[in-house]
Amino acid sequence: MHSNFRRRTLALAALATALFAGSTAFAQDKNTLKVGVSVGNGEQIFEVVKKVAAKDGLNIQVVVFNDYQLPNAALASGDLDANAFQHQPFLDNQNKARGFDIVPVGLTITAPLGFYSRKIKSIDQLPEGASVGIQNDPSNGNRALLLLQQAGLITLKPEAVKNNNATPLDVVTNPKKLKLVALDAAQLPRSLDDLTIASINNDYAEKAGLSLNKDAVIKESPKSPYANLIAVRRADKDKPWAKRLVAAYQSPEVKSFIETQFKGSLVPAF
């Protein structure tokens, strides 16, 4: 009798401890998050993410950036809880170059890169000596050069292609004598009048009124390896709120919105 009573008492105590621990963990979980996104389609998508997250009691405050160099610095300094604007090669480069300790927690979209022009309608019309704008950050600059190589306009050193770190110095053949002009990603749409073609990231292209499907003279395949992601500080990667944020983004509602709204110019990567 005494033994049974003691066992029941211990079991109840264990249950109470587990319930208390669970409620404490829930209480300690953040219910308001600041998330950095890039101007344009990132804003649009997160309006839907916010509504889905709200059903789970998660309040998302969106902070919009128009410069790719800022969101990781803001995250690393604690001004943001997460960001959603970059692909893995860009994050890897920023971690290495700036000493950040930021990690991915979930995939979002693939945004195929395109080259755009106000002077030609088809890449077949590209003249000799044309000025070609590419991004001056290592990951997107490499990506733009790979796209030029895929279009047969240049060839790159095989080692640079293998290592995903090609720069204009790695161009080994350039039959059209193209002039490669490296500029900040945000500046490229504003420089279209001065360039023959320019590589423009999807969010900046959209802001400039350019459509990947209608206006790009060269474009990546939707199956590009450059899937964007949600990133957090390493110390937060296993926090419940991080999992809730990813779940809200990777919901059927958000997937349907991306497919309906962007019609292939953005592709869900989850």
Side-chain angles (χ1 to χ4, degrees):
M1 180 79 176
H2 175 76
S3 176
N4 288 338
F5 176 78
R6 185 171 181 274
R7 281 199 296 270
R8 285 197 299 269
T9 301
L10 289 172
L12 287 170
L15 178 60
T17 300
L19 289 171
F20 176 76
S23 64
T24 301
F26 184 80
Q28 289 176 343
D29 191 24
K30 292 166 72 78
N31 288 316
T32 296
L33 303 179
K34 285 188 177 180
V35 180
V37 306
S38 54
V39 65
N41 55 58
E43 295 176 84
Q44 292 179 265
I45 295 170
F46 259 85
E47 286 304 309
V48 183
V49 176
K50 283 170 63 175
K51 293 175 183 176
V52 175
K55 299 175 185 176
D56 184 37
L58 192 62
N59 175 37
I60 296 176
Q61 297 176 358
V62 176
V63 182
V64 180
F65 293 86
N66 59 9
D67 185 331
Y68 288 155
Q69 301 303 314
L70 300 178
N72 282 329
L75 177 57
S77 68
D79 292 331
L80 299 174
D81 298 298
N83 64 40
F85 78 102
Q86 64 194 322
H87 48 67
Q88 189 69 51
F90 186 89
L91 175 58
D92 290 343
N93 181 268
Q94 290 247 305
N95 279 337
K96 182 178 179 181
R98 304 182 68 179
F100 299 146
D101 193 15
I102 296 171
V103 298
V105 289
L107 296 178
T108 57
I109 54 170
T110 298
L113 185 67
F115 275 87
Y116 299 84
S117 178
R118 291 206 173 104
K119 298 178 179 176
I120 63 173
K121 297 294 184 184
S122 165
I123 199 60
D124 297 334
Q125 300 170 350
L126 189 68
E128 186 168 320
S131 55
V132 177
I134 65 171
Q135 294 86 338
N136 64 3
D137 66 87
S139 60
N140 283 308
N142 168 76
R143 188 178 176 186
L145 290 169
L146 290 176
L147 193 49
L148 290 174
Q149 177 169 265
Q150 289 166 19
L153 295 170
I154 62 171
T155 57
L156 298 162
K157 293 177 183 176
E159 187 173 342
V161 173
K162 179 181 177 182
N163 294 330
N164 278 314
N165 62 1
T167 73
L169 296 176
D170 295 305
V171 176
V172 291
T173 66
N174 182 0
K176 283 184 175 284
K177 299 180 174 60
L178 303 177
K179 298 171 184 172
L180 299 173
V181 182
L183 297 171
D184 183 81
Q187 190 179 342
L188 286 163
R190 300 193 292 269
S191 302
L192 266 182
D193 289 336
D194 301 316
L195 300 166
T196 312
I197 62 173
S199 169
I200 303 177
N201 293 86
N202 197 290
D203 41 7
Y204 292 138
E206 182 179 312
K207 188 182 179 187
L210 299 167
S211 163
L212 181 77
N213 292 328
K214 294 179 182 177
D215 301 314
V217 294
I218 316 174
K219 59 185 177 182
E220 276 179 341
S221 163
K223 295 182 179 179
S224 155
Y226 293 93
N228 283 7
L229 50 87
I230 295 171
V232 301
R233 293 179 293 277
R234 185 178 300 277
D236 293 332
K237 70 182 181 69
D238 296 318
K239 297 286 179 64
W241 59 259
K243 293 178 171 59
R244 294 164 69 198
L245 173 61
V246 171
Y249 196 107
Q250 295 182 350
S251 64
E253 296 95 322
V254 173
K255 183 176 183 180
S256 176
F257 174 79
I258 294 168
E259 292 173 340
T260 304
Q261 179 71 21
F262 300 105
K263 298 179 174 62
S265 61
L266 296 181
V267 182
F270 52 90

